[in-house]
Amino acid sequence: MATGFSDGLVYTALQRAGYAALTVVVRLNAARRALAALSACAAASLASAVPSLRPLLAVTIALPPIDHIGSRPRPPSVLGVAISEQIDDSNCAAAAEALGMLLSWAHGHGFGLALLHEAAGSLQQPHHMRQLELQLLQRRLTGAVQLQAGWQVHEGAGAASEASTDAQLKAVLLSAAEGQWPLLAVARHTRTGTPRAEAADAAAAEGVVATDGATDGCGGTAAAIDAAIQAPARLRRRLQAVAGTLAGAEPDFVLVTGPALTLGGFPAWCVRASEIYGVGPLAELDADKLQAAMARFCTTKQRFGK
């Protein structure tokens, strides 16, 4: 009986010792994982700040692939503005003043193109354009900023006139129509096989190896993937063929004014990779909000679906 009692005590002691050892192992493993996560985060931040150190850090610490981290965007050169508010005679002066300030800011920050979209097309009306031109005149930007209503597709001499301008910033005033008719024209030309659409594709395909007949043993999967990859560039070329070169511009970021974050008919093909920021009512737009949007864009990490 004494032997059985002593065996029970030994078993209980061993059980408690095993439980304590297991607890220590679990806690040490959790601490190790937390330390590894902290060191990887610190190393990733250091690699982003000093790219030259990334190969060394990748050897010593398991860093995630750079594609998974994202990359900083290039300096912005194309600005998009989606005005979701209605502009009429009652608020035209305030809208022109806000847009004049915005164009002045964009010119000062090195933008070369600004796409200003207002669905109803009020900005394209002559008296509204004159008020905006007056704002540019007051800010001494008459020769530096050029206003243009719509895509303005011209045959022959139009391209030469566009190339001859010495404006540092071109502001294109768009309406809902500019987001619709180019797509309809491309669809019509594609369906009928007009020479313009075919010539655009042929010029771009020159020197590129055709992959339509390539297969990888999966029933044409390679050709389908190649076609999907080339689809955005092909659409862009066809839009430029029917609506001019500016129709292929893609804003680096789009500022949305108004109470709701909506693009309101902004040309959809232009914003496939654009950052979109809400900045509140147009009348309350100021340099601080614009600078905050710029800072947000410059510090974002773009992954493009990766």
Side-chain angles (χ1 to χ4, degrees):
M1 182 175 181
T3 303
F5 179 74
S6 61
D7 291 343
L9 290 177
V10 171
Y11 176 76
T12 302
L14 290 175
Q15 186 179 26
R16 290 179 178 178
Y19 179 78
L22 180 61
T23 302
V24 170
V25 171
V26 170
R27 290 182 177 179
L28 288 176
N29 185 53
R32 180 190 64 80
R33 294 176 61 183
L35 182 60
L38 288 174
S39 61
C41 182
S45 300
L46 182 59
S48 298
V50 187
S52 60
L53 293 179
R54 183 175 181 83
L56 176 62
L57 294 173
V59 174
T60 56
I61 299 176
L63 291 179
I66 192 169
D67 289 342
H68 294 179
I69 298 176
S71 57
R72 299 294 184 190
R74 58 181 176 80
S77 60
V78 181
L79 174 66
V81 181
I83 304 172
S84 61
E85 303 147 290
Q86 183 177 1
I87 298 178
D88 51 28
D89 294 338
S90 62
N91 61 358
C92 178
E97 183 177 359
L99 291 176
M101 182 273 302
L102 185 147
L103 292 176
S104 176
W105 175 86
H107 174 265
H109 284 76
F111 285 88
L113 179 64
L115 304 179
L116 309 181
H117 178 272
E118 193 268 331
S122 299
L123 293 177
Q124 298 178 346
Q125 297 178 6
H127 60 286
H128 289 173
M129 288 191 66
R130 283 195 296 270
Q131 290 199 12
L132 187 52
E133 290 172 352
L134 179 60
Q135 288 292 329
L136 296 178
L137 178 63
Q138 293 176 352
R139 299 173 186 274
R140 299 179 180 180
L141 294 173
T142 302
V145 179
Q146 178 189 0
L147 298 180
Q148 174 178 307
W151 300 123
Q152 284 191 355
V153 182
H154 300 292
E155 298 293 339
S161 63
E162 288 183 2
S164 62
T165 180
D166 58 352
Q168 299 173 359
L169 171 63
K170 176 172 286 188
V172 183
L173 309 179
L174 303 174
S175 66
E178 277 73 37
Q180 299 172 359
W181 73 259
L183 290 176
L184 296 176
V186 168
R188 182 172 61 253
H189 292 166
T190 302
R191 185 178 67 252
T192 59
T194 57
R196 175 178 290 185
E198 294 176 356
D201 287 340
E206 185 177 356
V208 179
V209 178
T211 58
D212 291 341
T215 60
D216 58 355
C218 300
T221 302
I225 292 175
D226 289 342
I229 292 174
Q230 296 170 8
R234 183 167 59 250
L235 175 61
R236 180 179 180 181
R237 292 193 301 268
R238 294 188 173 186
L239 287 168
Q240 290 177 319
V242 299
T245 56
L246 293 180
E250 296 184 353
D252 296 287
F253 61 91
V254 179
L255 304 177
V256 179
T257 70
L261 188 63
T262 173
L263 293 177
F266 197 98
W269 67 86
C270 293
V271 294
R272 64 188 183 94
S274 303
E275 303 290 329
I276 301 174
Y277 306 131
V279 292
L282 180 61
E284 299 178 6
L285 188 63
D286 55 23
D288 291 338
K289 293 182 178 179
L290 296 175
Q291 201 61 33
M294 172 70 87
R296 182 178 175 184
F297 173 78
C298 292
T299 55
T300 192
K301 291 185 177 180
Q302 297 177 321
R303 295 175 176 84
F304 299 108
K306 295 180 180 179

